[in-house]
Amino acid sequence: MVSFIGRVSKMRGFCTFISRPLLFLLLHFTLVQCDITDGNAEHLKREHSLMKPYQGVGSSPSSQWDFWGSTLVTSSYVRLTPDERSRQGSIWNTVPVYLKDWEMHVQYKIHGSGKKNLHGDGIAIWYTKERLHPGSVFGSNAKFHGLALFIDTYHNDEAADRSFPYIYAIVNNGSLPYDHGNDGRNSELGGCSSEIRNKDHDTYLAIRYSKGRLTVMIDIDDKNEWKECIDIGGVRLPTGYYFGASAATGDLSDNHDIISMKMYQLMVEHTPDEDSLDWTKIEPSVSLLKSPKDNIDDPTGNFRSTPLTGWKVFLLLLCALLGIVVCGVVGAVVFQKRQERNRRFY
Protein backbone atom coordinates (compact mmCIF):
# COMPACT_ATOMS: atom_id res chain seq x y z
CA MET A 1 0.00 0.00 0.00
CA VAL A 2 1.35 3.44 -0.90
CA SER A 3 -0.06 6.62 0.56
CA PHE A 4 0.65 10.15 -0.57
CA ILE A 5 0.47 13.13 1.77
CA GLY A 6 -0.67 15.85 -0.54
CA ARG A 7 -3.45 17.19 -2.65
CA VAL A 8 -3.50 16.61 -6.41
CA SER A 9 -5.49 19.48 -7.84
CA LYS A 10 -5.18 22.57 -9.95
CA MET A 11 -3.96 24.50 -6.92
CA ARG A 12 -1.11 22.17 -6.08
CA GLY A 13 2.31 23.61 -5.36
CA PHE A 14 5.85 22.67 -6.26
CA CYS A 15 6.23 19.39 -4.37
CA THR A 16 8.85 16.69 -4.53
CA PHE A 17 7.54 13.25 -3.64
CA ILE A 18 10.12 10.95 -2.05
CA SER A 19 9.08 7.35 -1.50
CA ARG A 20 10.79 5.77 1.50
CA PRO A 21 10.21 2.11 2.53
CA LEU A 22 9.70 1.52 6.21
CA LEU A 23 10.14 -1.59 8.30
CA PHE A 24 6.47 -2.48 8.11
CA LEU A 25 5.74 -5.12 5.49
CA LEU A 26 4.09 -3.84 2.31
CA LEU A 27 3.71 -0.34 3.73
CA HIS A 28 5.22 2.82 2.32
CA PHE A 29 4.77 6.42 3.24
CA THR A 30 5.48 9.36 1.07
CA LEU A 31 7.22 12.42 2.36
CA VAL A 32 6.55 15.75 0.78
CA GLN A 33 8.82 18.76 0.51
CA CYS A 34 7.18 21.92 -0.76
CA ASP A 35 8.22 25.44 -1.55
CA ILE A 36 4.56 26.32 -2.04
CA THR A 37 2.21 24.41 0.23
CA ASP A 38 0.64 21.28 -1.24
CA GLY A 39 -2.71 22.24 0.20
CA ASN A 40 -3.14 19.46 2.77
CA ALA A 41 -6.70 19.48 4.09
CA GLU A 42 -5.48 19.49 7.68
CA HIS A 43 -3.77 22.85 7.07
CA LEU A 44 -6.74 24.44 5.31
CA LYS A 45 -8.27 27.15 7.51
CA ARG A 46 -11.93 27.07 6.57
CA GLU A 47 -12.81 30.11 8.67
CA HIS A 48 -10.60 32.15 6.32
CA SER A 49 -11.51 30.35 3.08
CA LEU A 50 -14.14 31.19 0.46
CA MET A 51 -15.30 28.14 -1.49
CA LYS A 52 -18.30 26.82 -3.40
CA PRO A 53 -21.21 26.74 -2.61
CA TYR A 54 -20.23 29.88 -0.64
CA GLN A 55 -21.92 29.00 2.61
CA GLY A 56 -21.37 31.50 5.38
CA VAL A 57 -21.48 34.47 3.01
CA GLY A 58 -23.82 37.29 3.97
CA SER A 59 -24.57 39.94 6.55
CA SER A 60 -25.78 37.71 9.38
CA PRO A 61 -23.81 37.66 12.69
CA SER A 62 -22.62 34.10 11.97
CA SER A 63 -21.33 34.90 8.47
CA GLN A 64 -17.61 34.51 7.85
CA TRP A 65 -17.65 36.60 4.67
CA ASP A 66 -19.44 39.87 4.00
CA PHE A 67 -19.75 41.73 0.70
CA TRP A 68 -20.45 45.22 -0.55
CA GLY A 69 -21.34 47.22 -3.66
CA SER A 70 -21.97 45.48 -6.97
CA THR A 71 -20.83 42.07 -5.66
CA LEU A 72 -23.06 39.19 -6.76
CA VAL A 73 -22.76 35.77 -5.13
CA THR A 74 -23.84 32.84 -7.34
CA SER A 75 -23.41 29.08 -6.98
CA SER A 76 -20.38 29.10 -9.30
CA TYR A 77 -18.54 32.35 -8.62
CA VAL A 78 -18.48 35.62 -6.72
CA ARG A 79 -18.72 38.46 -9.25
CA LEU A 80 -17.19 41.60 -7.78
CA THR A 81 -18.19 43.73 -10.77
CA PRO A 82 -20.17 43.00 -13.90
CA ASP A 83 -18.95 44.10 -17.34
CA GLU A 84 -20.46 47.55 -16.78
CA ARG A 85 -18.94 50.98 -16.29
CA SER A 86 -18.43 52.70 -12.92
CA ARG A 87 -19.02 49.72 -10.66
CA GLN A 88 -17.27 48.71 -7.42
CA GLY A 89 -17.55 45.59 -5.32
CA SER A 90 -15.72 43.69 -2.60
CA ILE A 91 -15.94 40.65 -0.36
CA TRP A 92 -14.22 40.40 3.04
CA ASN A 93 -13.49 37.74 5.62
CA THR A 94 -15.07 38.72 8.94
CA VAL A 95 -12.60 36.64 10.99
CA PRO A 96 -9.20 38.21 11.75
CA VAL A 97 -6.13 36.09 10.93
CA TYR A 98 -3.82 35.31 13.85
CA LEU A 99 -1.41 33.08 11.92
CA LYS A 100 2.24 34.15 11.68
CA ASP A 101 2.88 32.12 8.53
CA TRP A 102 0.24 31.56 5.90
CA GLU A 103 -0.52 31.03 2.25
CA MET A 104 -3.55 32.20 0.31
CA HIS A 105 -4.58 30.54 -2.96
CA VAL A 106 -6.86 32.57 -5.19
CA GLN A 107 -8.76 31.17 -8.16
CA TYR A 108 -10.17 33.96 -10.29
CA LYS A 109 -11.28 34.98 -13.77
CA ILE A 110 -11.25 38.35 -15.54
CA HIS A 111 -13.20 38.51 -18.77
CA GLY A 112 -15.36 40.82 -20.81
CA SER A 113 -16.36 42.14 -24.20
CA GLY A 114 -13.75 44.90 -24.37
CA LYS A 115 -10.95 44.53 -26.89
CA LYS A 116 -7.25 45.07 -26.26
CA ASN A 117 -6.54 48.10 -24.04
CA LEU A 118 -10.29 48.78 -23.79
CA HIS A 119 -11.02 47.10 -20.46
CA GLY A 120 -10.42 47.68 -16.77
CA ASP A 121 -9.62 48.05 -14.03
CA GLY A 122 -8.69 44.81 -12.25
CA ILE A 123 -8.81 42.91 -8.93
CA ALA A 124 -7.07 43.60 -5.62
CA ILE A 125 -6.37 40.96 -2.97
CA TRP A 126 -6.02 42.48 0.49
CA TYR A 127 -4.58 41.57 3.88
CA THR A 128 -5.34 44.72 5.84
CA LYS A 129 -6.37 46.21 9.14
CA GLU A 130 -9.48 47.72 7.56
CA ARG A 131 -12.31 45.74 6.01
CA LEU A 132 -15.34 46.82 3.99
CA HIS A 133 -13.83 50.27 3.64
CA PRO A 134 -14.82 51.51 0.14
CA GLY A 135 -12.40 53.78 -1.64
CA SER A 136 -10.70 54.81 -4.85
CA VAL A 137 -8.18 51.95 -5.19
CA PHE A 138 -9.86 49.03 -6.92
CA GLY A 139 -12.95 49.76 -4.87
CA SER A 140 -11.18 49.93 -1.51
CA ASN A 141 -9.30 52.29 0.82
CA ALA A 142 -6.31 54.13 -0.69
CA LYS A 143 -4.32 54.63 2.55
CA PHE A 144 -4.56 51.08 3.87
CA HIS A 145 -2.60 49.31 6.60
CA GLY A 146 -1.16 45.99 5.43
CA LEU A 147 -0.58 44.18 2.15
CA ALA A 148 -2.27 44.62 -1.22
CA LEU A 149 -1.72 42.55 -4.34
CA PHE A 150 -3.06 44.22 -7.46
CA ILE A 151 -4.03 42.42 -10.66
CA ASP A 152 -4.08 45.57 -12.77
CA THR A 153 -5.51 45.27 -16.27
CA TYR A 154 -5.56 48.93 -17.33
CA HIS A 155 -2.49 50.99 -18.19
CA ASN A 156 -2.85 54.53 -16.80
CA ASP A 157 0.78 55.55 -17.30
CA GLU A 158 1.40 55.42 -21.04
CA ALA A 159 5.08 56.32 -20.60
CA ALA A 160 5.88 53.41 -18.28
CA ASP A 161 7.81 50.38 -19.49
CA ARG A 162 5.55 47.83 -17.78
CA SER A 163 3.35 45.60 -19.92
CA PHE A 164 -0.25 45.20 -18.77
CA PRO A 165 -2.03 43.26 -17.33
CA TYR A 166 0.46 43.62 -14.48
CA ILE A 167 0.50 41.97 -11.03
CA TYR A 168 2.29 43.84 -8.24
CA ALA A 169 2.46 44.14 -4.46
CA ILE A 170 2.41 47.10 -2.09
CA VAL A 171 2.90 47.16 1.70
CA ASN A 172 1.54 50.27 3.39
CA ASN A 173 1.32 51.58 6.95
CA GLY A 174 -1.41 54.05 6.08
CA SER A 175 0.98 56.85 5.14
CA LEU A 176 1.56 56.18 1.44
CA PRO A 177 -1.09 57.40 -1.00
CA TYR A 178 -1.74 55.27 -4.07
CA ASP A 179 -0.65 57.08 -7.24
CA HIS A 180 -3.31 56.31 -9.86
CA GLY A 181 -1.49 58.18 -12.61
CA ASN A 182 1.57 55.92 -12.27
CA ASP A 183 -0.38 52.73 -11.47
CA GLY A 184 1.16 52.57 -7.99
CA ARG A 185 4.69 52.61 -9.39
CA ASN A 186 6.09 54.83 -6.64
CA SER A 187 5.29 52.29 -3.91
CA GLU A 188 5.46 49.01 -5.84
CA LEU A 189 7.72 46.37 -4.27
CA GLY A 190 7.84 44.00 -7.22
CA GLY A 191 5.67 42.54 -9.94
CA CYS A 192 5.29 40.76 -13.25
CA SER A 193 3.31 41.03 -16.47
CA SER A 194 0.74 38.30 -17.07
CA GLU A 195 -1.83 37.73 -19.80
CA ILE A 196 -4.67 36.70 -17.51
CA ARG A 197 -7.67 38.20 -19.29
CA ASN A 198 -10.31 36.33 -21.35
CA LYS A 199 -8.79 32.90 -20.80
CA ASP A 200 -10.85 29.80 -21.60
CA HIS A 201 -9.99 28.53 -18.12
CA ASP A 202 -9.64 29.95 -14.62
CA THR A 203 -6.39 31.54 -13.49
CA TYR A 204 -4.62 31.14 -10.15
CA LEU A 205 -2.21 32.86 -7.83
CA ALA A 206 -0.66 31.96 -4.49
CA ILE A 207 0.45 34.53 -1.92
CA ARG A 208 2.82 33.18 0.68
CA TYR A 209 4.07 35.00 3.78
CA SER A 210 6.54 33.16 5.99
CA LYS A 211 9.38 34.35 8.25
CA GLY A 212 9.40 37.82 6.77
CA ARG A 213 9.37 36.72 3.13
CA LEU A 214 6.62 37.49 0.64
CA THR A 215 6.33 35.21 -2.38
CA VAL A 216 3.72 35.38 -5.13
CA MET A 217 3.35 32.57 -7.66
CA ILE A 218 1.00 32.46 -10.63
CA ASP A 219 -0.56 29.79 -12.86
CA ILE A 220 -2.28 31.35 -15.86
CA ASP A 221 -2.09 28.37 -18.23
CA ASP A 222 -4.04 25.87 -16.09
CA LYS A 223 -1.11 23.41 -16.24
CA ASN A 224 -0.61 22.94 -12.50
CA GLU A 225 2.71 24.75 -12.81
CA TRP A 226 3.57 27.69 -10.59
CA LYS A 227 5.73 30.52 -11.94
CA GLU A 228 7.39 33.07 -9.70
CA CYS A 229 6.09 36.61 -9.92
CA ILE A 230 7.34 38.28 -6.72
CA ASP A 231 9.89 37.23 -4.10
CA ILE A 232 10.82 39.84 -1.48
CA GLY A 233 12.51 39.52 1.89
CA GLY A 234 12.34 41.84 4.86
CA VAL A 235 8.53 42.10 4.90
CA ARG A 236 6.85 42.66 8.27
CA LEU A 237 3.12 42.02 8.55
CA PRO A 238 1.14 41.85 11.78
CA THR A 239 -1.47 39.32 12.80
CA GLY A 240 -5.09 40.22 13.40
CA TYR A 241 -5.72 41.63 9.90
CA TYR A 242 -8.43 40.62 7.41
CA PHE A 243 -8.37 39.04 3.95
CA GLY A 244 -10.54 40.43 1.22
CA ALA A 245 -10.91 40.99 -2.51
CA SER A 246 -12.21 43.98 -4.40
CA ALA A 247 -12.57 45.24 -7.96
CA ALA A 248 -13.62 48.36 -9.80
CA THR A 249 -14.51 49.55 -13.29
CA GLY A 250 -14.37 53.08 -14.67
CA ASP A 251 -15.05 54.24 -18.19
CA LEU A 252 -13.90 50.77 -19.25
CA SER A 253 -15.12 47.52 -17.69
CA ASP A 254 -14.78 43.76 -17.23
CA ASN A 255 -16.33 40.91 -15.29
CA HIS A 256 -14.16 40.37 -12.19
CA ASP A 257 -14.88 36.95 -10.68
CA ILE A 258 -13.51 35.22 -7.60
CA ILE A 259 -14.03 31.45 -7.73
CA SER A 260 -12.24 30.60 -4.49
CA MET A 261 -9.89 31.93 -1.83
CA LYS A 262 -8.26 29.14 0.17
CA MET A 263 -6.19 29.95 3.22
CA TYR A 264 -3.52 27.53 4.49
CA GLN A 265 -1.54 27.58 7.70
CA LEU A 266 2.19 27.00 7.26
CA MET A 267 3.90 24.97 9.97
CA VAL A 268 7.03 27.01 10.64
CA GLU A 269 9.19 27.09 13.75
CA HIS A 270 10.07 30.48 15.24
CA THR A 271 12.74 31.48 17.72
CA PRO A 272 11.72 32.12 21.35
CA ASP A 273 12.26 35.84 20.79
CA GLU A 274 9.92 35.81 17.79
CA ASP A 275 7.29 33.85 19.69
CA SER A 276 7.44 36.31 22.58
CA LEU A 277 6.59 39.27 20.34
CA ASP A 278 3.10 40.72 20.23
CA TRP A 279 2.53 40.22 16.50
CA THR A 280 -0.65 42.31 16.57
CA LYS A 281 1.49 45.39 17.34
CA ILE A 282 3.84 45.00 14.36
CA GLU A 283 3.81 47.93 11.94
CA PRO A 284 3.48 46.90 8.25
CA SER A 285 6.84 47.63 6.65
CA VAL A 286 9.53 46.40 4.27
CA SER A 287 13.28 46.57 4.88
CA LEU A 288 14.50 47.93 1.56
CA LEU A 289 17.78 49.39 0.38
CA LYS A 290 15.80 52.57 -0.12
CA SER A 291 12.28 53.77 0.53
CA PRO A 292 9.52 53.07 -2.00
CA LYS A 293 9.10 56.86 -2.12
CA ASP A 294 12.55 57.04 -3.75
CA ASN A 295 11.18 55.00 -6.64
CA ILE A 296 9.87 58.12 -8.39
CA ASP A 297 12.95 58.62 -10.57
CA ASP A 298 13.93 54.96 -10.78
CA PRO A 299 13.07 53.47 -14.19
CA THR A 300 13.32 49.90 -12.97
CA GLY A 301 11.20 49.97 -9.84
CA ASN A 302 12.81 46.80 -8.52
CA PHE A 303 13.72 46.80 -4.82
CA ARG A 304 14.46 43.22 -3.88
CA SER A 305 16.32 43.43 -0.61
CA THR A 306 17.21 39.74 -0.66
CA PRO A 307 20.52 38.57 0.81
CA LEU A 308 23.38 37.65 -1.47
CA THR A 309 23.13 34.08 -2.68
CA GLY A 310 26.10 31.75 -3.02
CA TRP A 311 26.14 32.30 -6.77
CA LYS A 312 26.24 36.10 -6.35
CA VAL A 313 29.05 35.83 -3.80
CA PHE A 314 30.99 33.62 -6.22
CA LEU A 315 30.59 36.15 -9.03
CA LEU A 316 31.72 39.01 -6.78
CA LEU A 317 34.80 37.06 -5.68
CA LEU A 318 35.55 36.10 -9.29
CA CYS A 319 35.33 39.74 -10.41
CA ALA A 320 37.59 40.79 -7.55
CA LEU A 321 40.12 38.08 -8.44
CA LEU A 322 40.09 39.08 -12.12
CA GLY A 323 40.63 42.69 -11.09
CA ILE A 324 43.67 41.71 -9.02
CA VAL A 325 45.09 39.64 -11.89
CA VAL A 326 44.60 42.49 -14.38
CA CYS A 327 46.23 44.97 -12.03
CA GLY A 328 49.11 42.55 -11.51
CA VAL A 329 49.65 42.06 -15.26
CA VAL A 330 49.49 45.81 -15.95
CA GLY A 331 51.90 46.48 -13.10
CA ALA A 332 54.34 43.85 -14.40
CA VAL A 333 54.26 45.29 -17.93
CA VAL A 334 54.86 48.82 -16.65
CA PHE A 335 57.72 47.62 -14.42
CA GLN A 336 59.36 45.72 -17.30
CA LYS A 337 59.23 48.75 -19.64
CA ARG A 338 60.78 50.95 -16.97
CA GLN A 339 63.59 48.44 -16.54
CA GLU A 340 64.28 48.40 -20.28
CA ARG A 341 64.27 52.22 -20.37
CA ASN A 342 66.77 52.36 -17.49
CA ARG A 343 69.16 49.93 -19.28
CA ARG A 344 69.48 52.32 -22.23
CA PHE A 345 71.17 54.94 -20.03
CA TYR A 346 73.97 52.61 -18.87
Side-chain angles (χ1 to χ4, degrees), residues 116-135:
K116 186 176 182 180
N117 298 327
L118 295 175
H119 49 80
D121 286 334
I123 294 176
I125 307 299
W126 306 90
Y127 176 68
T128 58
K129 181 179 181 180
E130 309 85 1
R131 54 175 296 272
L132 283 177
H133 192 161

mmCIF file of all heavy atoms in Angstrom, residues 116-135:
data_model
loop_
_atom_site.group_PDB
_atom_site.id
_atom_site.type_symbol
_atom_site.label_atom_id
_atom_site.label_comp_id
_atom_site.label_asym_id
_atom_site.label_seq_id
_atom_site.Cartn_x
_atom_site.Cartn_y
_atom_site.Cartn_z
ATOM 1 N N LYS A 116 -8.543 44.766 -26.853
ATOM 2 C CA LYS A 116 -7.247 45.065 -26.265
ATOM 3 C C LYS A 116 -7.169 46.535 -25.867
ATOM 4 O O LYS A 116 -7.495 47.417 -26.647
ATOM 5 C CB LYS A 116 -6.129 44.727 -27.250
ATOM 6 C CG LYS A 116 -4.733 44.883 -26.659
ATOM 7 C CD LYS A 116 -3.670 44.447 -27.648
ATOM 8 C CE LYS A 116 -2.271 44.576 -27.015
ATOM 9 N NZ LYS A 116 -1.204 44.164 -27.956
ATOM 10 N N ASN A 117 -6.715 46.764 -24.623
ATOM 11 C CA ASN A 117 -6.543 48.095 -24.040
ATOM 12 C C ASN A 117 -7.861 48.840 -23.834
ATOM 13 O O ASN A 117 -7.860 50.023 -23.514
ATOM 14 C CB ASN A 117 -5.609 48.956 -24.896
ATOM 15 C CG ASN A 117 -4.215 48.379 -24.989
ATOM 16 O OD1 ASN A 117 -3.725 47.758 -24.052
ATOM 17 N ND2 ASN A 117 -3.569 48.581 -26.134
ATOM 18 N N LEU A 118 -8.986 48.152 -24.001
ATOM 19 C CA LEU A 118 -10.289 48.777 -23.789
ATOM 20 C C LEU A 118 -11.065 48.004 -22.726
ATOM 21 O O LEU A 118 -12.182 47.548 -22.939
ATOM 22 C CB LEU A 118 -11.079 48.850 -25.106
ATOM 23 C CG LEU A 118 -10.468 49.746 -26.190
ATOM 24 C CD1 LEU A 118 -11.276 49.649 -27.480
ATOM 25 C CD2 LEU A 118 -10.405 51.197 -25.719
ATOM 26 N N HIS A 119 -10.424 47.847 -21.568
ATOM 27 C CA HIS A 119 -11.021 47.103 -20.459
ATOM 28 C C HIS A 119 -10.375 47.568 -19.167
ATOM 29 O O HIS A 119 -9.306 48.183 -19.167
ATOM 30 C CB HIS A 119 -10.839 45.600 -20.644
ATOM 31 C CG HIS A 119 -9.417 45.223 -20.973
ATOM 32 N ND1 HIS A 119 -8.444 45.117 -20.010
ATOM 33 C CD2 HIS A 119 -8.813 44.963 -22.160
ATOM 34 C CE1 HIS A 119 -7.290 44.791 -20.582
ATOM 35 N NE2 HIS A 119 -7.480 44.701 -21.886
ATOM 36 N N GLY A 120 -11.000 47.284 -18.049
ATOM 37 C CA GLY A 120 -10.423 47.676 -16.774
ATOM 38 C C GLY A 120 -11.405 47.440 -15.635
ATOM 39 O O GLY A 120 -12.558 47.104 -15.860
ATOM 40 N N ASP A 121 -10.966 47.602 -14.392
ATOM 41 C CA ASP A 121 -9.624 48.055 -14.030
ATOM 42 C C ASP A 121 -8.776 46.907 -13.447
ATOM 43 O O ASP A 121 -7.559 46.931 -13.540
ATOM 44 C CB ASP A 121 -9.699 49.156 -12.977
ATOM 45 C CG ASP A 121 -10.163 50.480 -13.565
ATOM 46 O OD1 ASP A 121 -9.954 50.703 -14.767
ATOM 47 O OD2 ASP A 121 -10.750 51.265 -12.832
ATOM 48 N N GLY A 122 -9.423 45.930 -12.815
ATOM 49 C CA GLY A 122 -8.691 44.808 -12.249
ATOM 50 C C GLY A 122 -9.183 44.424 -10.864
ATOM 51 O O GLY A 122 -10.172 44.950 -10.350
ATOM 52 N N ILE A 123 -8.461 43.471 -10.244
ATOM 53 C CA ILE A 123 -8.810 42.915 -8.934
ATOM 54 C C ILE A 123 -7.684 43.207 -7.950
ATOM 55 O O ILE A 123 -6.499 43.183 -8.313
ATOM 56 C CB ILE A 123 -9.042 41.393 -9.024
ATOM 57 C CG1 ILE A 123 -10.270 41.077 -9.883
ATOM 58 C CG2 ILE A 123 -9.202 40.770 -7.639
ATOM 59 C CD1 ILE A 123 -10.498 39.589 -10.099
ATOM 60 N N ALA A 124 -8.045 43.458 -6.705
ATOM 61 C CA ALA A 124 -7.070 43.600 -5.624
ATOM 62 C C ALA A 124 -7.346 42.545 -4.559
ATOM 63 O O ALA A 124 -8.504 42.323 -4.186
ATOM 64 C CB ALA A 124 -7.134 44.998 -5.004
ATOM 65 N N ILE A 125 -6.282 41.891 -4.093
ATOM 66 C CA ILE A 125 -6.366 40.957 -2.973
ATOM 67 C C ILE A 125 -5.723 41.651 -1.777
ATOM 68 O O ILE A 125 -4.587 42.140 -1.857
ATOM 69 C CB ILE A 125 -5.638 39.632 -3.281
ATOM 70 C CG1 ILE A 125 -6.153 39.035 -4.606
ATOM 71 C CG2 ILE A 125 -5.832 38.651 -2.134
ATOM 72 C CD1 ILE A 125 -7.621 38.695 -4.610
ATOM 73 N N TRP A 126 -6.444 41.700 -0.653
ATOM 74 C CA TRP A 126 -6.024 42.484 0.494
ATOM 75 C C TRP A 126 -5.752 41.615 1.728
ATOM 76 O O TRP A 126 -6.429 40.614 1.951
ATOM 77 C CB TRP A 126 -7.106 43.493 0.876
ATOM 78 C CG TRP A 126 -7.568 44.384 -0.225
ATOM 79 C CD1 TRP A 126 -8.595 44.161 -1.096
ATOM 80 C CD2 TRP A 126 -7.023 45.661 -0.588
ATOM 81 N NE1 TRP A 126 -8.731 45.218 -1.970
ATOM 82 C CE2 TRP A 126 -7.775 46.158 -1.679
ATOM 83 C CE3 TRP A 126 -5.974 46.452 -0.076
ATOM 84 C CZ2 TRP A 126 -7.505 47.392 -2.273
ATOM 85 C CZ3 TRP A 126 -5.719 47.676 -0.667
ATOM 86 C CH2 TRP A 126 -6.472 48.125 -1.754
ATOM 87 N N TYR A 127 -4.756 42.021 2.491
ATOM 88 C CA TYR A 127 -4.583 41.569 3.880
ATOM 89 C C TYR A 127 -4.335 42.837 4.694
ATOM 90 O O TYR A 127 -3.208 43.334 4.777
ATOM 91 C CB TYR A 127 -3.409 40.598 4.011
ATOM 92 C CG TYR A 127 -3.142 40.189 5.452
ATOM 93 C CD1 TYR A 127 -4.055 39.407 6.149
ATOM 94 C CD2 TYR A 127 -1.982 40.588 6.110
ATOM 95 C CE1 TYR A 127 -3.825 39.043 7.469
ATOM 96 C CE2 TYR A 127 -1.742 40.225 7.426
ATOM 97 C CZ TYR A 127 -2.660 39.460 8.101
ATOM 98 O OH TYR A 127 -2.440 39.102 9.415
ATOM 99 N N THR A 128 -5.407 43.380 5.266
ATOM 100 C CA THR A 128 -5.338 44.723 5.835
ATOM 101 C C THR A 128 -6.055 44.830 7.180
ATOM 102 O O THR A 128 -6.865 43.971 7.546
ATOM 103 C CB THR A 128 -5.971 45.756 4.871
ATOM 104 O OG1 THR A 128 -7.331 45.386 4.604
ATOM 105 C CG2 THR A 128 -5.193 45.825 3.574
ATOM 106 N N LYS A 129 -5.737 45.902 7.869
ATOM 107 C CA LYS A 129 -6.365 46.205 9.144
ATOM 108 C C LYS A 129 -7.830 46.581 8.957
ATOM 109 O O LYS A 129 -8.689 46.256 9.779
ATOM 110 C CB LYS A 129 -5.600 47.348 9.817
ATOM 111 C CG LYS A 129 -6.123 47.769 11.171
ATOM 112 C CD LYS A 129 -5.265 48.904 11.735
ATOM 113 C CE LYS A 129 -5.731 49.341 13.097
ATOM 114 N NZ LYS A 129 -4.873 50.445 13.629
ATOM 115 N N GLU A 130 -8.119 47.286 7.845
ATOM 116 C CA GLU A 130 -9.476 47.725 7.558
ATOM 117 C C GLU A 130 -10.202 46.685 6.707
ATOM 118 O O GLU A 130 -9.588 45.981 5.912
ATOM 119 C CB GLU A 130 -9.454 49.061 6.796
ATOM 120 C CG GLU A 130 -8.598 50.154 7.439
ATOM 121 C CD GLU A 130 -7.139 50.076 7.050
ATOM 122 O OE1 GLU A 130 -6.774 49.190 6.257
ATOM 123 O OE2 GLU A 130 -6.348 50.892 7.556
ATOM 124 N N ARG A 131 -11.501 46.596 6.846
ATOM 125 C CA ARG A 131 -12.308 45.739 6.006
ATOM 126 C C ARG A 131 -13.611 46.462 5.659
ATOM 127 O O ARG A 131 -14.101 47.301 6.429
ATOM 128 C CB ARG A 131 -12.619 44.399 6.685
ATOM 129 C CG ARG A 131 -13.248 44.502 8.063
ATOM 130 C CD ARG A 131 -13.633 43.139 8.617
ATOM 131 N NE ARG A 131 -14.652 42.505 7.806
ATOM 132 C CZ ARG A 131 -15.950 42.684 7.975
ATOM 133 N NH1 ARG A 131 -16.406 43.492 8.918
ATOM 134 N NH2 ARG A 131 -16.819 42.064 7.201
ATOM 135 N N LEU A 132 -14.117 46.168 4.464
ATOM 136 C CA LEU A 132 -15.340 46.822 3.994
ATOM 137 C C LEU A 132 -15.228 48.349 4.086
ATOM 138 O O LEU A 132 -16.119 49.040 4.570
ATOM 139 C CB LEU A 132 -16.560 46.341 4.785
ATOM 140 C CG LEU A 132 -17.108 44.959 4.430
ATOM 141 C CD1 LEU A 132 -18.263 44.599 5.347
ATOM 142 C CD2 LEU A 132 -17.566 44.912 2.962
ATOM 143 N N HIS A 133 -14.089 48.832 3.629
ATOM 144 C CA HIS A 133 -13.828 50.271 3.638
ATOM 145 C C HIS A 133 -13.728 50.738 2.183
ATOM 146 O O HIS A 133 -12.641 50.747 1.599
ATOM 147 C CB HIS A 133 -12.538 50.576 4.391
ATOM 148 C CG HIS A 133 -12.333 52.030 4.693
ATOM 149 N ND1 HIS A 133 -11.471 52.490 5.658
ATOM 150 C CD2 HIS A 133 -12.899 53.146 4.148
ATOM 151 C CE1 HIS A 133 -11.506 53.794 5.694
ATOM 152 N NE2 HIS A 133 -12.354 54.213 4.784
ATOM 153 N N PRO A 134 -14.843 51.122 1.560
ATOM 154 C CA PRO A 134 -14.823 51.508 0.137
ATOM 155 C C PRO A 134 -13.896 52.699 -0.104
ATOM 156 O O PRO A 134 -13.708 53.562 0.762
ATOM 157 C CB PRO A 134 -16.283 51.879 -0.145
ATOM 158 C CG PRO A 134 -17.072 51.177 0.915
ATOM 159 C CD PRO A 134 -16.201 51.171 2.127
ATOM 160 N N GLY A 135 -13.315 52.705 -1.295
ATOM 161 C CA GLY A 135 -12.401 53.781 -1.637
ATOM 162 C C GLY A 135 -12.074 53.801 -3.107
ATOM 163 O O GLY A 135 -12.723 53.131 -3.926
#
